[in-house]
Amino acid sequence: MNRGRKPKPTALRRAEGNPGKRGYNALEPVPPDGLPSCPPHLSAAAQEEWRRIAGPLHDMGVLTLVDRAALAAYCQAWGRWVEAEEKLKETPVMLKTPSGYVQQSPWLSVANKQLELMGRYMAELGITPASRSRVAVSDPGDDVAMPVVIEIRAHEPAKEGIPPRITRHDGGNAAGREGPV
């Protein structure tokens, strides 16, 4: 079981400028770009939210084809929250049970749970202002730092006092230093 913070995706770290200056995962899979289609099983309110938000999220570079399920879950939570809020308009927040006790409306519990779920998905998808404030997107004209792949060739026998040859595939010197690494 992993402990500690969830690792940030490399694309997000690149957009933030990699403030920790740690290396990138060169083997991280890159999802195919594209706007996913709205799943037909979503409620009407959820489909409306999908149409409202999917395009802007894709334009921001946050939404790809593989993010369909996460966005669908957010939209469905949105739809259920809207339904619960509409029911709360029709019924009191506190109800009296047949035995005489007062309890909160079940719709209030549904609304609160869906808000909680929506908050989680909004943070994951970069929908909230706070989650967006942590990302700085570079200008399209700027060169975006690509991952560096370092290859150590051990097939040549090492000579005494000479380190193994290390080659960077981006054409620069490893670790930004001059000379052998």
Side-chain angles (χ1 to χ4, degrees):
M1 180 167 80
N2 294 337
R3 295 200 175 186
R5 289 185 181 177
K6 290 188 303 184
K8 285 186 183 177
T10 300
L12 185 58
R13 288 183 47 217
R14 279 197 186 105
E16 291 175 344
N18 196 17
K21 307 296 183 217
R22 292 178 308 278
Y24 294 112
N25 178 3
L27 301 176
E28 180 178 340
V30 177
D33 190 27
L35 182 62
S37 61
C38 181
H41 69 274
L42 296 182
S43 68
Q47 288 181 6
E48 185 179 324
E49 178 67 357
W50 180 286
R51 287 189 295 275
R52 184 186 76 82
I53 202 162
L57 285 175
H58 182 262
D59 293 344
M60 289 168 43
V62 174
L63 185 66
T64 64
L65 289 174
V66 298
D67 303 318
R68 182 180 186 215
L71 184 58
Y74 161 74
C75 290
Q76 193 68 356
W78 165 272
R80 289 181 181 144
W81 175 69
V82 168
E83 179 186 1
E85 289 295 327
E86 288 172 354
K87 296 290 185 180
L88 280 170
K89 287 180 185 177
E90 301 168 3
T91 61
V93 176
M94 301 303 284
L95 303 171
K96 193 170 193 176
T97 65
S99 61
Y101 292 102
V102 176
Q103 69 179 27
Q104 75 177 18
S105 168
W107 290 110
L108 185 58
S109 297
V110 171
N112 289 338
K113 182 63 178 178
Q114 297 312 308
L115 274 175
E116 181 183 326
L117 291 172
M118 287 168 46
R120 289 180 191 166
Y121 286 112
M122 288 190 295
E124 290 288 327
L125 293 167
I127 297 173
T128 65
S131 63
R132 280 193 310 274
S133 72
R134 295 182 186 102
V135 179
V137 180
S138 61
D139 290 334
D142 290 349
D143 289 335
V144 177
M146 296 305 289
V148 175
V149 178
I150 298 176
E151 178 181 354
I152 300 176
R153 298 181 184 227
H155 62 274
E156 299 173 6
K159 296 180 183 174
E160 190 174 323
I162 300 176
R165 189 171 134 205
I166 299 176
T167 307
R168 278 176 56 145
H169 286 264
D170 68 346
N173 287 322
R177 290 181 271 176
E178 297 294 325
V181 180

